[in-house]
């Protein structure tokens, strides 16, 4: 059984490398080659808040699942499913969804305006772009009961965008070659900035085309641009810190209890926990997404979630945010 698992995973990794050789010559085979071939925009650091905000707008407009199209993924193994599990994330699973038996490749578009934390990653740099690889054995040996191997290959661009690729393969395999090949492919896709909706695996949702800081302007709350991330906004409202996140989340942990309000048909829920100082308020702003979701917690739904300590401020911020979403 283990031999068959290893053979299947090896086939995926061979496919990642072999089909790379069949791609057109202008598609680099390694992440550092892909870095060198990136357009100048990715090699230039933003120097003003407007440039940083423009970067976020451009990144949010990119379809994450289109970075490695299904036609390419199908060459990497027996493709079982592709899931757009976040506005900036995508995951593909090969051969088996059973833990320790299949291979998964996931990637996410992000930003690191204060620099990316590399840890023990092995790094290369070209034109201000850094590529790092961190395997599961770089810090410690295999442990008893471990079911699979893992590796993360990441690129941090000079313009502060980031693109990590996480690969998991069965025991007896080396996941880092697969992670590096998948990263090179994703970088080639990122260079073209495919718009949301390019991939058939990326459903249209209420969050696409939205700016999580839009509500800050409505509330007349100032934001610090350097603190902003892809799909979240932090600001001070009524002397309280508020964090607004746009995400896809399992339905059964998003809609808990009775809604505290309904705006434009969207239900808002208060914090279900009284433990600790922090609370979170959530509103579901669209129908369930296609895809596997969670077998225990239901399908993913697009949500707005606000975090902080002042519950009255959180409810007001959530109401103001939900009002920005028209009825489905």
């Amino acid at each position: 059984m283990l031999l068959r698992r290893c053979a299947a995973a090896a086939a995926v990794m061979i496919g990642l490398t072999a089909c790379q050789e069949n791609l057109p010559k202008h598609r680099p085979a390694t992440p550092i080659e892909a870095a060198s071939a990136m357009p100048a925009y990715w090699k230039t650091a933003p120097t003003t808040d407007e440039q940083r905000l423009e970067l976020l707008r451009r990144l949010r407009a990119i379809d994450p699942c289109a970075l490695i199209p299904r036609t390419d993924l199908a060459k990497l193994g027996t493709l079982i499913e592709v899931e757009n599990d976040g506005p900036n994330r995508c995951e593909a699973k090969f051969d088996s969804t059973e833990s320790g038996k299949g291979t998964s490749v996931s990637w996410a578009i992000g930003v690191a305006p204060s620099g990316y934390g590399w840890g023990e990653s092995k790094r290369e740099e070209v034109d201000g772009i850094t590529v790092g690889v961190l395997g599961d054995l770089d810090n410690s040996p295999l442990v008893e009961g471990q079911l699979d191997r893992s590796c993360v290959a990441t690129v941090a661009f000079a313009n502060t965008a980031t693109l990590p690729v996480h690969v998991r393969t069965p025991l007896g395999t080396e996941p880092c070659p697969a992670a590096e090949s998948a990263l090179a492919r994703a970088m080639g896709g990122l260079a073209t900035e495919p718009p949301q909706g390019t991939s058939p695996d990326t459903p249209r949702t209420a969050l696409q085309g939205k700016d999580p800081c839009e509500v800050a302007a409505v509330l007349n709350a100032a934001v610090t641009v350097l603190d902003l991330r892809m799909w979240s906004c932090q600001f001070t409202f009524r002397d309280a810190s508020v964090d607004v996140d746009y995400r896809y989340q399992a339905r059964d942990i998003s809609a808990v209890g009775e809604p505290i309000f309904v705006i434009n048909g969207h239900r808002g829920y208060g914090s279900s926990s009284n433990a600790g100082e922090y609370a979170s308020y959530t509103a579901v702003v669209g129908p369930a997404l296609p895809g596997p979701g969670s077998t225990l917690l239901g399908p993913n739904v697009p949500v707005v979630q606000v975090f902080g300590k002042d519950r009255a401020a959180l409810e007001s911020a959530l109401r103001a945010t939900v009002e920005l979403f028209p009825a489905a």
Side-chain angles (χ1 to χ4, degrees), residues 19 51 183 225 268 296 303:
C19 63
Q51 290 174 346
L183 177 59
V225 175
L296 296 177
V303 303

Side-chain angles (χ1 to χ4, degrees), residues 53-68:
L53 290 172
E54 175 62 16
L55 171 68
L56 289 170
R57 285 191 286 268
R58 287 178 68 161
L59 294 180
R60 291 182 190 127
I62 294 173
D63 186 331
C65 291
L67 299 189
I68 309 179

